[in-house]
Amino acid sequence: MFIATVAVSIFLAVSLTFSAVGKLTKNPKVIPIMEQVGVPADKIPWLAYIEILGAIGLIVGLFVWPIGVAAAVGVILYFVGAVIAHLRVKDNGFGPAAFLAAVAIAALVLRLLSV
């Protein structure tokens, strides 16, 4: 079970890191989506920092399970919030956020099962 936990946690941490880099570098594919769902430009870096902290928490959580659980819960809440933001403005592009929320749920369940 722990091997699956490692694989899912690393996949999610890498995904969070790439997402954060896109926000911090103001990638032209990322910023318009953020603006479309109503995220103010000055808040975008904060979302990236949250993603980076989530990634760090998932990796540290492989060694200290309560941190992994807390990080997974935080990432779930982050992506559920992203899905809600998309749905609020009737944007159908919530698939990636929903997928990552599901991966975060898997990370949480696996982390709890491998304690």
Side-chain angles (χ1 to χ4, degrees):
M1 193 65 67
F2 188 70
I3 293 171
T5 303
V6 170
V8 171
S9 295
I10 289 174
F11 171 79
L12 188 55
V14 169
S15 298
L16 287 165
T17 302
F18 277 116
S19 178
V21 168
K23 288 174 180 70
L24 291 174
T25 60
K26 298 181 179 168
N27 184 312
K29 292 181 180 180
V30 174
I31 300 304
I33 296 168
M34 302 298 291
E35 292 170 347
Q36 182 178 346
V37 298
V39 177
D42 65 326
K43 301 295 186 243
I44 294 173
W46 288 103
L47 294 177
Y49 303 145
I50 291 168
E51 290 176 322
I52 291 167
L53 289 173
I56 292 168
L58 288 166
I59 299 304
V60 171
L62 293 173
F63 304 97
V64 184
W65 74 266
I67 292 175
V69 169
V73 169
V75 173
I76 291 167
L77 294 173
Y78 177 89
F79 283 113
V80 166
V83 169
I84 291 169
H86 282 277
L87 293 175
R88 183 179 51 85
V89 296
K90 296 178 179 39
D91 176 32
N92 293 330
F94 61 86
F99 171 74
L100 290 172
V103 173
I105 291 167
L108 174 62
V109 170
L110 288 167
R111 182 68 265 194
L112 289 170
L113 290 176
S114 62
V115 173

PDB file of all heavy atoms in Angstrom, residues 3 9 11 14 16 23 25 33 37 47 52 56 60 84 89-90 104 109 112 114:
ATOM      1  N   ILE A   3       3.711   1.789  -1.425  1.00  0.00           N
ATOM      2  CA  ILE A   3       4.248   2.105  -2.760  1.00  0.00           C
ATOM      3  C   ILE A   3       3.228   2.922  -3.548  1.00  0.00           C
ATOM      4  O   ILE A   3       3.588   3.900  -4.216  1.00  0.00           O
ATOM      5  CB  ILE A   3       4.648   0.820  -3.507  1.00  0.00           C
ATOM      6  CG1 ILE A   3       5.836   0.172  -2.798  1.00  0.00           C
ATOM      7  CG2 ILE A   3       4.979   1.112  -4.963  1.00  0.00           C
ATOM      8  CD1 ILE A   3       6.191  -1.200  -3.312  1.00  0.00           C
ATOM      9  N   SER A   9       1.366  10.364  -4.246  1.00  0.00           N
ATOM     10  CA  SER A   9       1.829  11.599  -3.602  1.00  0.00           C
ATOM     11  C   SER A   9       2.838  12.330  -4.475  1.00  0.00           C
ATOM     12  O   SER A   9       2.780  13.561  -4.604  1.00  0.00           O
ATOM     13  CB  SER A   9       2.428  11.296  -2.232  1.00  0.00           C
ATOM     14  OG  SER A   9       1.438  10.797  -1.359  1.00  0.00           O
ATOM     15  N   PHE A  11       3.170  12.035  -7.800  1.00  0.00           N
ATOM     16  CA  PHE A  11       2.452  12.545  -8.973  1.00  0.00           C
ATOM     17  C   PHE A  11       1.732  13.848  -8.633  1.00  0.00           C
ATOM     18  O   PHE A  11       1.809  14.832  -9.378  1.00  0.00           O
ATOM     19  CB  PHE A  11       1.446  11.505  -9.488  1.00  0.00           C
ATOM     20  CG  PHE A  11       0.531  12.055 -10.544  1.00  0.00           C
ATOM     21  CD1 PHE A  11       0.977  12.194 -11.855  1.00  0.00           C
ATOM     22  CD2 PHE A  11      -0.761  12.465 -10.232  1.00  0.00           C
ATOM     23  CE1 PHE A  11       0.142  12.725 -12.832  1.00  0.00           C
ATOM     24  CE2 PHE A  11      -1.593  12.988 -11.200  1.00  0.00           C
ATOM     25  CZ  PHE A  11      -1.145  13.116 -12.507  1.00  0.00           C
ATOM     26  N   VAL A  14       4.222  16.774  -8.009  1.00  0.00           N
ATOM     27  CA  VAL A  14       4.765  17.287  -9.276  1.00  0.00           C
ATOM     28  C   VAL A  14       3.707  18.120 -10.002  1.00  0.00           C
ATOM     29  O   VAL A  14       4.006  19.201 -10.528  1.00  0.00           O
ATOM     30  CB  VAL A  14       5.283  16.122 -10.153  1.00  0.00           C
ATOM     31  CG1 VAL A  14       5.606  16.595 -11.564  1.00  0.00           C
ATOM     32  CG2 VAL A  14       6.513  15.484  -9.515  1.00  0.00           C
ATOM     33  N   LEU A  16       1.215  19.770  -8.679  1.00  0.00           N
ATOM     34  CA  LEU A  16       1.075  21.029  -7.946  1.00  0.00           C
ATOM     35  C   LEU A  16       2.224  21.985  -8.261  1.00  0.00           C
ATOM     36  O   LEU A  16       2.015  23.194  -8.421  1.00  0.00           O
ATOM     37  CB  LEU A  16       1.015  20.759  -6.444  1.00  0.00           C
ATOM     38  CG  LEU A  16      -0.278  20.140  -5.918  1.00  0.00           C
ATOM     39  CD1 LEU A  16      -0.063  19.586  -4.517  1.00  0.00           C
ATOM     40  CD2 LEU A  16      -1.406  21.146  -5.947  1.00  0.00           C
ATOM     41  N   LYS A  23       1.595  29.649 -12.648  1.00  0.00           N
ATOM     42  CA  LYS A  23       1.026  30.862 -12.050  1.00  0.00           C
ATOM     43  C   LYS A  23       2.112  31.902 -11.771  1.00  0.00           C
ATOM     44  O   LYS A  23       1.925  33.088 -12.041  1.00  0.00           O
ATOM     45  CB  LYS A  23       0.290  30.515 -10.755  1.00  0.00           C
ATOM     46  CG  LYS A  23      -1.018  29.770 -10.970  1.00  0.00           C
ATOM     47  CD  LYS A  23      -1.604  29.334  -9.639  1.00  0.00           C
ATOM     48  CE  LYS A  23      -2.908  28.592  -9.815  1.00  0.00           C
ATOM     49  NZ  LYS A  23      -2.772  27.269 -10.418  1.00  0.00           N
ATOM     50  N   THR A  25       5.067  32.253 -13.169  1.00  0.00           N
ATOM     51  CA  THR A  25       5.711  32.771 -14.389  1.00  0.00           C
ATOM     52  C   THR A  25       4.711  33.469 -15.297  1.00  0.00           C
ATOM     53  O   THR A  25       5.072  33.904 -16.392  1.00  0.00           O
ATOM     54  CB  THR A  25       6.422  31.644 -15.161  1.00  0.00           C
ATOM     55  OG1 THR A  25       5.456  30.660 -15.538  1.00  0.00           O
ATOM     56  CG2 THR A  25       7.532  31.021 -14.342  1.00  0.00           C
ATOM     57  N   ILE A  33      -7.265  31.837 -17.762  1.00  0.00           N
ATOM     58  CA  ILE A  33      -8.212  30.947 -17.073  1.00  0.00           C
ATOM     59  C   ILE A  33      -8.473  31.462 -15.668  1.00  0.00           C
ATOM     60  O   ILE A  33      -9.618  31.485 -15.206  1.00  0.00           O
ATOM     61  CB  ILE A  33      -7.676  29.502 -17.050  1.00  0.00           C
ATOM     62  CG1 ILE A  33      -7.579  28.963 -18.467  1.00  0.00           C
ATOM     63  CG2 ILE A  33      -8.559  28.611 -16.177  1.00  0.00           C
ATOM     64  CD1 ILE A  33      -6.807  27.658 -18.575  1.00  0.00           C
ATOM     65  N   VAL A  37     -12.231  32.867 -14.179  1.00  0.00           N
ATOM     66  CA  VAL A  37     -12.989  32.390 -13.015  1.00  0.00           C
ATOM     67  C   VAL A  37     -13.040  33.421 -11.892  1.00  0.00           C
ATOM     68  O   VAL A  37     -13.610  33.163 -10.838  1.00  0.00           O
ATOM     69  CB  VAL A  37     -12.467  31.031 -12.478  1.00  0.00           C
ATOM     70  CG1 VAL A  37     -12.608  29.951 -13.525  1.00  0.00           C
ATOM     71  CG2 VAL A  37     -11.057  31.134 -11.982  1.00  0.00           C
ATOM     72  N   LEU A  47      -2.057  31.710  -4.582  1.00  0.00           N
ATOM     73  CA  LEU A  47      -2.532  30.363  -4.921  1.00  0.00           C
ATOM     74  C   LEU A  47      -1.349  29.463  -5.270  1.00  0.00           C
ATOM     75  O   LEU A  47      -1.327  28.287  -4.915  1.00  0.00           O
ATOM     76  CB  LEU A  47      -3.529  30.430  -6.080  1.00  0.00           C
ATOM     77  CG  LEU A  47      -4.848  31.132  -5.772  1.00  0.00           C
ATOM     78  CD1 LEU A  47      -5.716  31.199  -7.015  1.00  0.00           C
ATOM     79  CD2 LEU A  47      -5.579  30.446  -4.641  1.00  0.00           C
ATOM     80  N   ILE A  52       2.579  25.099  -3.713  1.00  0.00           N
ATOM     81  CA  ILE A  52       3.944  24.693  -3.343  1.00  0.00           C
ATOM     82  C   ILE A  52       3.955  24.096  -1.932  1.00  0.00           C
ATOM     83  O   ILE A  52       4.585  23.059  -1.694  1.00  0.00           O
ATOM     84  CB  ILE A  52       4.917  25.891  -3.458  1.00  0.00           C
ATOM     85  CG1 ILE A  52       5.100  26.267  -4.934  1.00  0.00           C
ATOM     86  CG2 ILE A  52       6.262  25.566  -2.808  1.00  0.00           C
ATOM     87  CD1 ILE A  52       5.778  27.603  -5.167  1.00  0.00           C
ATOM     88  N   ILE A  56       5.070  20.283  -0.896  1.00  0.00           N
ATOM     89  CA  ILE A  56       6.054  20.007   0.156  1.00  0.00           C
ATOM     90  C   ILE A  56       5.431  19.130   1.243  1.00  0.00           C
ATOM     91  O   ILE A  56       6.045  18.160   1.696  1.00  0.00           O
ATOM     92  CB  ILE A  56       6.604  21.323   0.751  1.00  0.00           C
ATOM     93  CG1 ILE A  56       7.451  22.052  -0.291  1.00  0.00           C
ATOM     94  CG2 ILE A  56       7.406  21.058   2.021  1.00  0.00           C
ATOM     95  CD1 ILE A  56       7.806  23.481   0.087  1.00  0.00           C
ATOM     96  N   VAL A  60       6.874  15.543   2.480  1.00  0.00           N
ATOM     97  CA  VAL A  60       7.244  15.367   3.896  1.00  0.00           C
ATOM     98  C   VAL A  60       6.316  14.344   4.540  1.00  0.00           C
ATOM     99  O   VAL A  60       6.740  13.535   5.373  1.00  0.00           O
ATOM    100  CB  VAL A  60       7.214  16.716   4.644  1.00  0.00           C
ATOM    101  CG1 VAL A  60       7.378  16.518   6.147  1.00  0.00           C
ATOM    102  CG2 VAL A  60       8.295  17.644   4.105  1.00  0.00           C
ATOM    103  N   ILE A  84     -15.468  24.769  -7.688  1.00  0.00           N
ATOM    104  CA  ILE A  84     -16.572  25.684  -7.371  1.00  0.00           C
ATOM    105  C   ILE A  84     -16.402  27.009  -8.105  1.00  0.00           C
ATOM    106  O   ILE A  84     -17.377  27.565  -8.631  1.00  0.00           O
ATOM    107  CB  ILE A  84     -16.684  25.880  -5.843  1.00  0.00           C
ATOM    108  CG1 ILE A  84     -17.162  24.586  -5.189  1.00  0.00           C
ATOM    109  CG2 ILE A  84     -17.612  27.043  -5.500  1.00  0.00           C
ATOM    110  CD1 ILE A  84     -17.050  24.573  -3.678  1.00  0.00           C
ATOM    111  N   VAL A  89     -18.939  30.550 -12.370  1.00  0.00           N
ATOM    112  CA  VAL A  89     -18.997  31.409 -13.564  1.00  0.00           C
ATOM    113  C   VAL A  89     -19.460  30.627 -14.791  1.00  0.00           C
ATOM    114  O   VAL A  89     -19.316  31.080 -15.916  1.00  0.00           O
ATOM    115  CB  VAL A  89     -17.643  32.098 -13.828  1.00  0.00           C
ATOM    116  CG1 VAL A  89     -17.286  33.035 -12.691  1.00  0.00           C
ATOM    117  CG2 VAL A  89     -16.547  31.088 -14.083  1.00  0.00           C
ATOM    118  N   LYS A  90     -19.985  29.420 -14.551  1.00  0.00           N
ATOM    119  CA  LYS A  90     -20.500  28.556 -15.618  1.00  0.00           C
ATOM    120  C   LYS A  90     -19.431  28.229 -16.665  1.00  0.00           C
ATOM    121  O   LYS A  90     -19.697  28.181 -17.862  1.00  0.00           O
ATOM    122  CB  LYS A  90     -21.734  29.189 -16.261  1.00  0.00           C
ATOM    123  CG  LYS A  90     -22.889  29.325 -15.289  1.00  0.00           C
ATOM    124  CD  LYS A  90     -24.072  29.991 -15.921  1.00  0.00           C
ATOM    125  CE  LYS A  90     -25.263  30.130 -15.021  1.00  0.00           C
ATOM    126  NZ  LYS A  90     -25.090  30.456 -13.664  1.00  0.00           N
ATOM    127  N   ALA A 104      -6.089  13.880  -5.109  1.00  0.00           N
ATOM    128  CA  ALA A 104      -5.816  14.252  -3.719  1.00  0.00           C
ATOM    129  C   ALA A 104      -6.619  13.383  -2.752  1.00  0.00           C
ATOM    130  O   ALA A 104      -6.114  13.000  -1.690  1.00  0.00           O
ATOM    131  CB  ALA A 104      -6.125  15.735  -3.500  1.00  0.00           C
ATOM    132  N   VAL A 109      -6.627   8.848   1.140  1.00  0.00           N
ATOM    133  CA  VAL A 109      -7.054   7.492   1.506  1.00  0.00           C
ATOM    134  C   VAL A 109      -5.836   6.564   1.600  1.00  0.00           C
ATOM    135  O   VAL A 109      -5.697   5.797   2.563  1.00  0.00           O
ATOM    136  CB  VAL A 109      -8.084   6.953   0.483  1.00  0.00           C
ATOM    137  CG1 VAL A 109      -8.355   5.480   0.690  1.00  0.00           C
ATOM    138  CG2 VAL A 109      -9.379   7.759   0.586  1.00  0.00           C
ATOM    139  N   LEU A 112      -3.774   7.292   4.704  1.00  0.00           N
ATOM    140  CA  LEU A 112      -4.426   6.766   5.920  1.00  0.00           C
ATOM    141  C   LEU A 112      -4.340   5.237   5.993  1.00  0.00           C
ATOM    142  O   LEU A 112      -4.208   4.679   7.089  1.00  0.00           O
ATOM    143  CB  LEU A 112      -5.887   7.217   5.979  1.00  0.00           C
ATOM    144  CG  LEU A 112      -6.100   8.698   6.278  1.00  0.00           C
ATOM    145  CD1 LEU A 112      -7.560   9.078   6.065  1.00  0.00           C
ATOM    146  CD2 LEU A 112      -5.619   9.065   7.669  1.00  0.00           C
ATOM    147  N   SER A 114      -1.940   3.440   4.848  1.00  0.00           N
ATOM    148  CA  SER A 114      -0.559   2.955   4.980  1.00  0.00           C
ATOM    149  C   SER A 114       0.120   3.445   6.246  1.00  0.00           C
ATOM    150  O   SER A 114       1.338   3.446   6.346  1.00  0.00           O
ATOM    151  CB  SER A 114       0.253   3.340   3.741  1.00  0.00           C
ATOM    152  OG  SER A 114       0.310   4.733   3.615  1.00  0.00           O
TER     153      SER A 114
END
